[in-house]
Amino acid sequence: MEDSKKLYFIYNPHSGREQIRTKLFHILQIFSDAGYEMTVYPTREKKDAVRQIELLSEDYDLVVCSGGDGTIDEVVQGMMRRERKIPIGYIPSGTVNDFARSLKIPRDMLKAAKIAVEGTDFPCDMGTFNQEHFVYIAAFGIFTDVAYSTNQNIKNVLGHMAYLLEGVKRLASIPSYHVRIRSQELEAEGDFIFGMVTNSRSVGGFKSIIGRKVQFDDGVFEATFIKTPKNAAELQEILGAIILKEIDSKYMYSFRTAQLCVEADGMIPWTLDGEYGGVCSTAVIRNYQRALEIRVDAEAFHTNAVRTPGNI
C-alpha cells in the first residue's frame, strides 16, 4: 500500500476576525480529500511558528499555514533555517494579506485551502535583513509601524480602515532619518521619511505603488525611498503622489536591486512583513532568488511569467 502524503497545518487562531474557527472542519476535510495525513497545530505565542517549522521532522510533504502576513513571515523564517525546504501552502486570514494578494491567493479560505493541496509550486524569492529573513517587505519611516502598533481588537472591527486611521494621526509628527543608500544601481545620501524594499504588488493593501511589473522570482527587489519634505507644500505633493500611486522623482528614489545597504547616523526602527523588526544603524538587505516554493493557482497566476534577473 502506498504511503500517505503528510501535511503539517499550522494556524494562528487569533488572526483577522478569528474566522478560521468556523472554517476549520471544512479546511481539514479538503486536506483529507486530497489524500493527506495531517498534523494540526494552533500557534500559542509570537515566534511559535518559527520554532515549529524549523524543528519539523523530515517526513512531511507539505506545510500549510493560515494567518496574516506575520504568520507567513514566521513560517518562512523557520523554513529558511532548514536544510530541506518543504513547499508551503497559504490560507490568508489576516487584516491586509499583502503577500496573498500578490500571489493571487484568494481571501476565501476554502478556495485557498484547495490551492494549498492542488496548486502549483511556485519558486518565490525571499529576502534577508541582516540576520533575519522576510517575505515581501522591509521598511522604515512614516506609517511603517502602523501594522504592529494598531490594537488587534481595532483591526478586527475596522479591518483595513484601522491602518488608515492610525496612519493619519502620525502626519503631525513625521520622523526623519539621515541615511546613506548603497547598491550597485544607486548611491545616495540625505534625509528620508520613508524607505522600503519589497517583493510585492501590494503594500498595506495599496496596489501598484511600487510598480505594475513586479515579478516574484527575478532575483531583485523593488526599492523606494522618499525624501524629507522641506515644507507643507512639499509634503502635500509627496502624499498626492502616493495616493495617485506615482513615483515623483523630485522627492523619491525608485529602483530595482538584488542587494543594498542602508546606513544611518542613528538607530532606525524597521518593520519586516508588517511586524516590528527591531532597530539598527546599518541594514544589509539581500534577495535570495527562488528560495522557497509557495503553492499558487497556476491559472490565476499565469501573468507572473518568469523574468531573468537582467530583464529589469
Side-chain angles (χ1 to χ4, degrees):
M1 183 176 174
E2 187 179 346
D3 291 339
S4 313
K5 300 177 290 183
K6 293 193 69 175
L7 182 155
Y8 188 83
F9 181 47
I10 185 165
Y11 69 96
N12 179 354
H14 305 296
S15 178
R17 297 176 177 85
E18 301 186 358
Q19 57 183 314
I20 195 167
R21 294 176 184 273
T22 62
K23 308 281 187 181
L24 190 57
F25 171 81
H26 299 288
I27 289 170
L28 298 182
Q29 188 65 54
I30 289 169
F31 295 164
S32 178
D33 290 345
Y36 282 97
E37 178 186 317
M38 292 165 283
T39 300
V40 181
Y41 184 86
T43 57
R44 298 168 184 163
E45 58 189 357
K46 195 173 179 63
K47 299 296 183 183
D48 195 7
V50 179
R51 293 186 292 271
Q52 297 300 322
I53 299 304
E54 183 180 7
L55 301 175
L56 194 64
S57 69
E58 293 294 322
D59 56 348
Y60 284 95
D61 303 284
L62 177 66
V63 167
V64 180
C65 65
S66 182
D69 291 326
T71 301
I72 185 71
D73 175 86
E74 289 193 15
V75 169
V76 164
Q77 287 265 5
M79 194 66 73
M80 289 293 287
R81 296 176 185 178
R82 297 172 58 90
E83 186 172 342
R84 175 180 169 252
K85 311 294 194 290
I86 304 170
I88 298 170
Y90 180 36
I91 302 173
S93 63
T95 308
V96 177
N97 303 311
D98 280 319
F99 186 62
R101 283 171 182 257
S102 293
L103 295 184
K104 304 293 180 66
I105 298 172
R107 289 184 63 89
D108 184 303
M109 297 181 75
L110 301 187
K111 289 181 180 178
K114 285 189 175 182
I115 292 170
V117 291
E118 298 174 3
T120 301
D121 290 337
F122 175 74
C124 193
D125 295 350
M126 296 293 156
T128 58
F129 177 92
N130 294 339
Q131 304 305 313
E132 295 290 319
H133 295 93
F134 68 96
V135 180
Y136 74 96
I137 185 169
F140 71 86
I142 184 173
F143 295 161
T144 55
D145 68 340
V146 168
Y148 59 78
S149 66
T150 305
N151 181 278
Q152 182 64 50
N153 290 328
I154 296 175
K155 284 197 280 188
N156 289 346
V157 173
L158 297 177
H160 180 58
M161 282 303 297
Y163 291 91
L164 299 179
L165 292 171
E166 186 70 17
V168 167
K169 293 194 301 188
R170 306 300 177 87
L171 291 181
S173 55
I174 298 174
S176 176
Y177 304 98
H178 189 84
V179 304
R180 290 166 293 283
I181 305 163
R182 292 188 288 111
S183 75
Q184 187 176 340
E185 297 77 11
L186 174 76
E187 291 209 8
E189 181 173 357
D191 296 325
F192 295 86
I193 58 170
F194 177 80
M196 68 177 178
V197 180
T198 70
N199 194 38
S200 175
R201 287 195 179 133
S202 171
V203 175
F206 294 100
K207 295 181 181 179
S208 304
I209 193 170
I210 26 66
R212 292 174 174 80
K213 295 183 179 179
V214 175
Q215 302 295 326
F216 309 104
D217 60 353
D218 59 1
V220 294
F221 290 124
E222 284 67 36
T224 301
F225 291 84
I226 301 177
K227 300 174 187 176
T228 302
K230 295 182 176 63
N231 51 53
E234 287 189 1
L235 174 60
Q236 197 64 38
E237 282 189 58
I238 290 168
L239 292 176
I242 293 171
I243 292 168
L244 294 173
K245 302 171 186 174
E246 295 175 349
I247 297 298
D248 188 331
S249 58
K250 283 193 299 182
Y251 305 113
M252 304 180 190
Y253 292 115
S254 185
F255 58 100
R256 289 189 170 106
T257 185
Q259 180 175 331
L260 76 161
C261 179
V262 181
E263 297 177 325
D265 290 346
M267 303 295 277
I268 294 183
W270 286 77
T271 178
L272 303 177
D273 296 333
E275 301 292 325
Y276 180 59
V279 297
C280 63
S281 58
T282 301
V284 177
I285 302 169
R286 295 186 176 94
N287 183 296
Y288 283 79
Q289 187 174 20
R290 305 182 190 178
L292 291 181
E293 292 185 326
I294 308 293
R295 286 278 169 95
V296 299
D297 180 344
E299 187 175 341
F301 198 58
H302 75 281
T303 54
N304 292 335
V306 173
R307 183 176 67 192
T308 60
N311 184 20
I312 299 174

